[in-house]
């Protein structure tokens, strides 16, 4: 260490001697000092240049008025997406002929937000063409340029997370905490992964070769597909829009996003921020297009020959229709469909320790979570204790709207928001009643809820339903609702059988005091993802592929697998030493073949030489090859 400081500071001492005309002063040491300072100056200039080219670009993008908790609007009776048909006052002032419209409203308060025109086939095709045109130049951008867009988006999202959360709450009725966890946190995680690791996943790779091809080199290039599309669900409007968009454009594609008709208003605003980021970074925002239409118009997207990949997030029923439509042009599809995620609670698990995790896994976003816990599979000896814990905690949950106007001017503290609509309430009540009548245990919940101060008609009471038969309809149907189902088991093999006993296989959890046993159980589960002593954390690590098996779909998004699915992997093979050796056809194999016997002997000897399992056999193959070659 003293020698290090000496090397750094000795020239300073020498410079002082030089200035004092001391005979011990050295010209070389002064030159050394000047070189150090020059190098440092060059580094500062280079660093400033890199930051100017790569740092995030700040931009302003104003939040919409309805995101304000004090915002007021017309309350719609029995609010739904077609309320404009019964209340003409909800239509825009300038009606466009016989066009279809979509009513946007706050499901928690029934407040009218906006009525928008649904895209028709011609408009959808036009958006696809605009995306294709813009993609030509975007495909030529460097990873540094794409990272800068990602950094700009991440910076904006972190600085405007409050506004983003309130926009999501207004359009879906969720709580601010649910928006923070499911919208903001997950999206930031994906942006960070793309910035730090996206290029690594798409960088040209050198591949291994073999003895026969030892004079060749091989590589794989991941090229953009062109225009891809994403058809996404309504439960997380920010994340479900941004996630496929940022992955697609980082891979060099343009994208046409079809959002759910339930969240047209919020999605339009969220995607607008991406347009703004692209513009301030100097790129054509047309590479990102948003389609707003009714489901019967979606085939204009899924059957388009210009779309080169489809990501679908939604129900199994609609996913099947998308997959069938995509066969029109053999368009590859990634499907993330329904789930009935189990949480196996192994014997002797500390129930109090994990109760909060189960509450979050079941009731986050009012249960409208594709990887939410839909079944708690608990050992018979701990069933009563768990049922009591959950019933006691669920009874204390506060239901309501965080954006309901208050005289005091503060945001309401609620635990569960509303559901996106009341369309499935009759089925939910029917399934719960059916299970209760069959011997299920229920002391709380099980029906829709009329909120005393919020006018929304989409509230459903948080429910705990115990002693559920694992084969009952309610245990086989994805509820997507704030309902905790408890199922007993007597031995671990039975628990695994129950967990695997549905048509779905998306995610799962295993809880227990011994991690090794939890991992053994996880290996037996038929699903795409498993959390040990936790819920859904495989989604926060964006280096992991996300997707399921069985009726939960196929393909993966997230991680290197998901990013590469948005590209065309191209294999390129070329000569290692082109001036010295290239492929030549031996005379014995050249067309027209002179002798089938000799040709066969040559090929047989080549196979033995390359792939026989002993050196003696390979040597014999070499001799056979040599003889056949000479005879040829």
């Amino acid at each position: 260490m003293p020698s290090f400081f000496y090397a750094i500071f000795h020239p300073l001492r020498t410079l002082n001697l030089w200035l004092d005309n001391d005979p011990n002063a050295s010209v070389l040491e002064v030159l050394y000092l000047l070189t150090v300072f020059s190098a440092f100056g060059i580094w500062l200039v280079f660093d400033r240049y890199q930051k100017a080219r790569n740092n995030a670009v700040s931009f302003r993008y104003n939040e919409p008025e309805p995101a304000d908790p004090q915002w007021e609007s017309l309350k719609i009776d029995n609010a739904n997406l077609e309320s404009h048909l019964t209340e003409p006052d909800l239509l825009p002032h300038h009606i466009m002929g016989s066009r279809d419209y979509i009513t946007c409203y706050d499901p928690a308060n029934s407040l009218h937000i906006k009525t928008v025109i649904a895209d028709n086939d011609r408009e959808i095709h036009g958006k696809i063409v605009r995306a294709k045109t813009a993609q030509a130049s975007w495909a030529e951008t460097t990873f540094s340029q794409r990272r800068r867009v990602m950094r700009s988006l991440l910076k904006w999202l972190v600085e405007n997370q409050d506004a983003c959360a309130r926009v999501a709450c207004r359009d879906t009725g969720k709580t601010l905490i649910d928006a923070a966890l499911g919208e903001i946190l997950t999206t930031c995680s994906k942006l960070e992964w793309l910035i730090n690791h996206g290029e690594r996943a798409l960088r040209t790779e050198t591949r291994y070769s073999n003895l026969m091809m030892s004079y060749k080199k091989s590589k794989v290039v991941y090229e953009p597909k062109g225009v891809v599309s994403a058809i996404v669900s309504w439960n997380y409007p920010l994340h479900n829009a941004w996630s496929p968009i940022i992955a697609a454009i980082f891979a060099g594609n343009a994208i046409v996003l079809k959002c759910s008709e339930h969240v047209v208003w919020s999605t339009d605003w969220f995607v607008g921020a991406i347009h703004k980021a692209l513009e301030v970074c100097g790129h054509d925002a047309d590479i990102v297009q948003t389609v707003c239409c009714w489901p019967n118009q979606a085939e204009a997207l899924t059957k388009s020959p210009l779309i080169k990949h489809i990501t679908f997030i939604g129900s199994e029923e609609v996913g099947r229709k998308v997959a069938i439509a995509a066969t029109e042009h053999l368009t590859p599809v990634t499907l993330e469909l329904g789930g009935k995620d189990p949480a196996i609670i192994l014997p002797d698990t500390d129930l109090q320790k994990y109760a909060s995790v189960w509450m979050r896994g079941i009731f986050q976003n009012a249960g409208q979570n594709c990887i939410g816990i839909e079944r708690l599979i608990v050992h018979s000896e701990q069933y009563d204790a768990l049922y009591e814990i959950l019933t006691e905690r669920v009874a204390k949950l506060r239901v309501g709207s965080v954006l309901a106007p208050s005289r005091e001017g503060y945001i309401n503290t609620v635990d569960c928001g509303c559901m996106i609509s009341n369309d499935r309430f009759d089925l939910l009540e029917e399934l719960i009643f059916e299970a209760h009548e069959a011997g299920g245990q229920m002391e709380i919940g099980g029906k829709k809820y009329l909120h005393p101060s919020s006018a929304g008609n989409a509230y459903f009471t948080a429910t705990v339903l115990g002693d559920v038969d694992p084969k009952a309809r309610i245990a086989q149907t994805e509820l997507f609702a704030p309902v905790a189902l408890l199922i007993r088991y007597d031995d671990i093999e039975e628990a695994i059988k129950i967990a695997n006993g549905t048509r779905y296989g998306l995610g799962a959890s295993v809880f227990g005091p011994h991690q090794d046993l939890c991992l053994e159980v996880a290996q037996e589960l038929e699903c795409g993802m498993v959390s040990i002593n936790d819920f859904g954390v495989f989604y926060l690590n964006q280096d992991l592929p996300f997707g399921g098996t069985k009726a939960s779909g196929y393909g993966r998004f997230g991680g290197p697998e998901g990013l590469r699915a948005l590209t065309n992997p191209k294999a390129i093979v070329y000569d290692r030493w082109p001036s010295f050796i290239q492929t030549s056809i031996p005379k014995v194999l050249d067309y027209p073949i002179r002798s089938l016997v000799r040709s066969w002997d040559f090929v047989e000897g080549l196979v033995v030489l390359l792939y026989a399992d002993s050196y003696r056999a390979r040597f014999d193959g070499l001799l056979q090859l040599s003889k056949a070659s000479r005879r040829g």
Side-chain angles (χ1 to χ4, degrees), residues 205-211 213-214 216-220 572-573 576:
E205 293 182 329
T206 299
R207 294 295 176 91
Y208 296 109
S209 191
N210 52 32
L211 178 61
M213 298 289 291
S214 58
K216 295 280 190 180
K217 296 181 73 174
S218 304
K219 65 180 181 180
V220 176
I572 300 177
V573 182
R576 190 182 298 272

Side-chain angles (χ1 to χ4, degrees), residues 234-236 314-315 336-345 357-378 386 390 419 424 427-428 431-432 435 463-470 472-488 498-499 502-511 534-536 538 552:
W234 42 260
N235 54 337
Y236 291 104
S315 68
E336 195 267 277
L337 308 178
K340 194 68 181 174
D341 287 12
I344 296 179
I345 303 170
V357 176
W358 299 327
M359 289 290 292
R360 174 60 59 184
I362 297 166
F363 298 104
Q364 177 170 311
N365 207 33
Q368 301 166 119
N369 193 355
C370 60
I371 52 173
I373 297 175
E374 290 248 347
R375 295 175 292 157
L376 284 169
I377 304 171
V378 58
L386 180 59
L390 291 180
M419 296 178 67
R424 299 178 64 250
L427 175 61
L428 275 175
L431 292 174
I432 292 171
T463 304
V464 179
L465 184 61
D467 267 334
V468 176
D469 183 343
R473 274 209 305 160
I474 198 168
Q476 297 290 319
T477 305
E478 183 182 32
L479 300 182
F480 229 54
V483 180
L485 296 183
L486 277 69
I487 302 174
R488 295 178 188 255
I498 293 171
T502 72
R503 60 188 288 102
Y504 298 110
L506 189 55
S509 300
V510 182
F511 293 84
D534 214 329
F535 132 76
F538 36 71
S552 290

Side-chain angles (χ1 to χ4, degrees), residues 57-114:
V57 180
S58 297
F59 62 91
R60 291 181 60 84
Y61 184 60
N62 296 330
E63 68 177 76
E65 290 184 10
D68 186 346
Q70 302 303 315
W71 174 76
E72 295 181 356
S73 181
L74 175 68
K75 286 190 178 180
I76 308 172
D77 293 330
N78 191 28
N80 60 78
L81 298 175
E82 294 184 317
S83 287
H84 57 275
L85 298 180
T86 55
E87 298 189 38
D89 290 344
L90 302 179
L91 286 168
H93 295 300
H94 302 288
I95 301 176
M96 298 183 63
S98 59
R99 294 294 298 273
D100 291 328
Y101 290 84
I102 298 172
T103 299
C104 304
Y105 65 96
D106 178 348
N109 297 305
S110 294
L111 296 177
H112 177 243
I113 301 176
K114 188 178 183 181

Side-chain angles (χ1 to χ4, degrees), residues 351-352 355 359 382-395 441 443-444 464 486:
L351 301 182
Q352 292 290 354
M359 289 290 292
Q382 292 188 292
Y383 167 82
D384 291 333
L386 180 59
Y387 181 84
E388 182 180 347
I389 290 171
L390 291 180
T391 301
E392 181 181 344
R393 295 190 64 161
V394 170
Q441 184 179 9
E443 299 173 26
I444 185 170
V464 179
L486 277 69

